[in-house]
Amino acid sequence: QLSIFGRKKYLFKLIRNYAVQMKKERINVVTVPLYPLLNRDIKFGDDGEYIFDFTLLDRFLDTFLDFGEVKYFCGFHLMNKGSIMLGHEPSDNPEFPLTAYVFKEGHGVENFAWMYMNDERVWRHLEMFVKGLYNHLKERGLTKMWLQHVCDEVAGEEAFNTVLKTYNLVHEWAPDFKTIDATWEDSFEKYGEALNIHVPQIDIHDLNAEKYDNAIDAMDIDVWSYTCLKPQFNYLSRLDDFKLIATRLIHWYNFKKRLGGYLHWSWNLWHYGQPYVDGCCAGWPLDGWVTFPDVKNLDVFESIRQRENVSGIEDLELLRLCDKIDHEKTMMLVSVLVERANDFTIDTELFFRVRRMLLELASSQG
């Protein structure tokens, strides 16, 4: 769908409509597709240094600033697992686990080449890329609104070491940026404070809740949760084949565990299939999209699962209000509904009785 960048009038009408819809859904962190926004018009100096044209990037950011409600912009991953680079064949070393795409001279949106992370050209690319982005955002006063992904769900010692090196370099090259990624249970031992926002899958968090809770108190980090095709079975999730209350209560769990956000997969990854035809996305029940394309109006239709997700966020706002009034009562009521990520009520009548009690608590302060 990169070809749409040749039709900017339609592209930015679509992005504006995205921003409006995301604001309704209380989505305040927006992933920024850096390479599609930058590689089309990039130029090169005599020594191969990047000369960026930030016009498209700025228009993308400004559209969300004007029509959305953005707390953070989140730069898409700087590298990825080589095994999932479908349709592309990285060169040099098929044994190395991680790849990045590096800008190359050319014309149009295919101005990049895949390279493995043990190629020194990749590290020069990353330095020019991150520094160039940081300097531009600094001129715009947006550096403190920027989160940067490096590589998610990394496994294996070699990959961990590469990603840790990159986190540290990002902090050196762009000191105001915060780093964020989906991680596994050993992320604290591997990354520590090099990663500002740890985002374990909700079942991984649940199994290691005490460790994450202690880290929130002891370290200058934040912890979020996420769901991504998993977990299955009796876990809180947003999958299409489970009770809707399991989606809404994700945010009650996050409140109970003092988690600062919810990173969700995914809003509109329609290229994984045909959302009006396929029952699954990447093999799982509809989790790859919670909106559906409204082609006629360059807009989206919201799914019932996403509406339930928004209701959960509204519940979270209520819980935070009640917590300021009576912390012990609020926590007691939350525990009536949610004990762990795989121990929660599916009794909707009980849910609304508890929610009514919270509304009465909130209104008791006039």
Side-chain angles (χ1 to χ4, degrees):
Q1 291 82 348
L2 295 178
S3 61
I4 197 171
F5 280 83
R7 302 188 293 275
K8 296 178 186 177
K9 172 184 175 182
Y10 303 105
L11 170 67
F12 283 99
K13 179 180 179 181
L14 180 67
I15 292 175
R16 182 195 67 197
N17 289 339
Y18 282 179
V20 170
Q21 182 62 31
M22 288 178 176
K23 182 176 180 179
K24 292 178 183 176
E25 296 175 356
R26 288 169 162 75
I27 297 175
N28 58 12
V29 181
V30 178
T31 299
V32 181
L34 287 168
Y35 280 86
L37 291 167
L38 293 175
N39 66 349
R40 180 185 177 89
D41 299 311
I42 193 167
K43 295 182 172 58
F44 296 81
D46 293 337
D47 295 325
E49 69 274 15
Y50 294 153
I51 302 172
F52 291 103
D53 182 338
F54 290 106
T55 303
L56 275 177
L57 174 65
D58 283 338
R59 190 170 176 185
F60 181 95
L61 301 180
D62 287 339
T63 301
F64 277 99
L65 289 171
D66 291 342
F67 295 98
E69 190 155 332
V70 181
K71 181 177 181 180
Y72 291 115
F73 289 109
C74 201
F76 198 67
H77 292 103
L78 299 178
M79 63 184 75
N80 222 321
K81 288 167 280 192
S83 61
I84 65 171
M85 296 295 99
L86 303 178
H88 298 278
E89 190 61 38
S91 59
D92 297 333
N93 185 0
E95 303 300 323
F96 203 78
L98 300 177
T99 62
Y101 35 65
V102 176
F103 294 125
K104 68 177 184 179
E105 294 193 66
H107 301 283
V109 295
E110 295 296 327
N111 296 348
F112 64 86
W114 292 107
M115 293 184 184
Y116 284 95
M117 293 303 301
N118 59 346
D119 190 320
E120 285 303 315
R121 292 174 293 178
V122 175
W123 296 101
R124 182 167 187 252
H125 153 77
L126 287 177
E127 181 174 4
M128 292 190 295
F129 182 49
V130 174
K131 285 184 175 179
L133 177 65
Y134 180 76
N135 289 334
H136 178 71
L137 294 175
K138 188 173 182 179
E139 290 178 2
R140 295 208 52 192
L142 296 177
T143 57
K144 293 187 182 300
M145 288 183 66
W146 194 265
L147 309 179
Q148 184 59 56
H149 288 291
V150 171
C151 187
D152 75 327
E153 296 185 344
V154 172
E157 195 67 25
E158 192 169 28
F160 271 117
N161 290 337
T162 300
V163 173
L164 177 59
K165 174 183 176 180
T166 310
Y167 285 136
N168 288 324
L169 287 171
V170 168
H171 288 303
E172 176 185 328
W173 296 331
D176 291 334
F177 285 3
K178 290 185 177 181
T179 51
I180 178 174
D181 268 314
T183 63
W184 297 108
E185 63 267 31
D186 55 358
S187 62
F188 291 130
E189 291 81 359
K190 295 291 185 179
Y191 300 137
E193 293 178 88
L195 183 58
N196 299 115
I197 304 175
H198 292 251
V199 191
Q201 192 167 278
I202 199 164
D203 56 328
I204 300 297
H205 177 272
D206 187 63
L207 293 171
N208 298 273
E210 183 177 356
K211 180 173 66 174
Y212 283 104
D213 196 47
N214 291 338
I216 291 171
D217 291 329
M219 303 166 67
D220 184 22
I221 63 166
D222 195 3
V223 180
W224 298 5
S225 70
Y226 82 104
T227 59
C228 175
L229 309 178
K230 297 174 284 186
Q232 292 279 306
F233 309 110
N234 193 41
Y235 273 99
L236 295 166
S237 78
R238 205 186 52 195
L239 298 174
D240 190 53
D241 62 350
F242 201 43
K243 305 286 186 180
L244 280 174
I245 195 171
T247 296
R248 188 163 184 170
L249 287 176
I250 288 172
H251 302 282
W252 293 64
Y253 176 89
N254 288 346
F255 171 80
K256 181 174 183 176
K257 301 298 183 178
R258 300 190 296 156
L259 304 185
Y262 173 59
L263 186 156
H264 62 105
W265 161 280
S266 176
W267 199 70
N268 65 336
L269 282 181
W270 301 321
H271 64 274
Y272 271 85
Q274 301 179 60
Y276 289 116
V277 177
D278 297 340
C280 295
C281 165
W284 304 99
L286 289 176
D287 200 36
W289 44 75
V290 292
T291 59
F292 294 81
D294 177 2
V295 177
K296 179 180 179 181
N297 298 304
L298 289 176
D299 207 338
V300 298
F301 298 113
E302 185 180 69
S303 71
I304 190 171
R305 288 168 299 124
Q306 182 62 355
R307 177 42 42 192
E308 198 71 2
N309 186 53
V310 176
S311 295
I313 297 172
E314 293 169 348
D315 293 341
L316 177 62
E317 295 165 353
L318 172 62
L319 289 167
R320 288 175 173 170
L321 176 62
C322 290
D323 191 55
K324 294 177 181 178
I325 299 170
D326 190 332
H327 172 73
E328 290 186 6
K329 183 173 182 179
T330 301
M331 296 304 295
M332 180 271 293
L333 290 172
V334 171
S335 295
V336 170
L337 302 182
V338 180
E339 187 59 37
R340 297 185 57 180
N342 63 349
D343 184 4
F344 55 93
T345 187
I346 58 172
D347 184 339
T348 54
E349 183 178 345
L350 174 61
F351 171 84
F352 284 109
R353 285 208 309 269
V354 169
R355 193 176 188 278
R356 190 177 304 114
M357 294 175 70
L358 288 164
L359 288 169
E360 291 170 354
L361 176 60
S363 62
S364 68
Q365 299 299 301

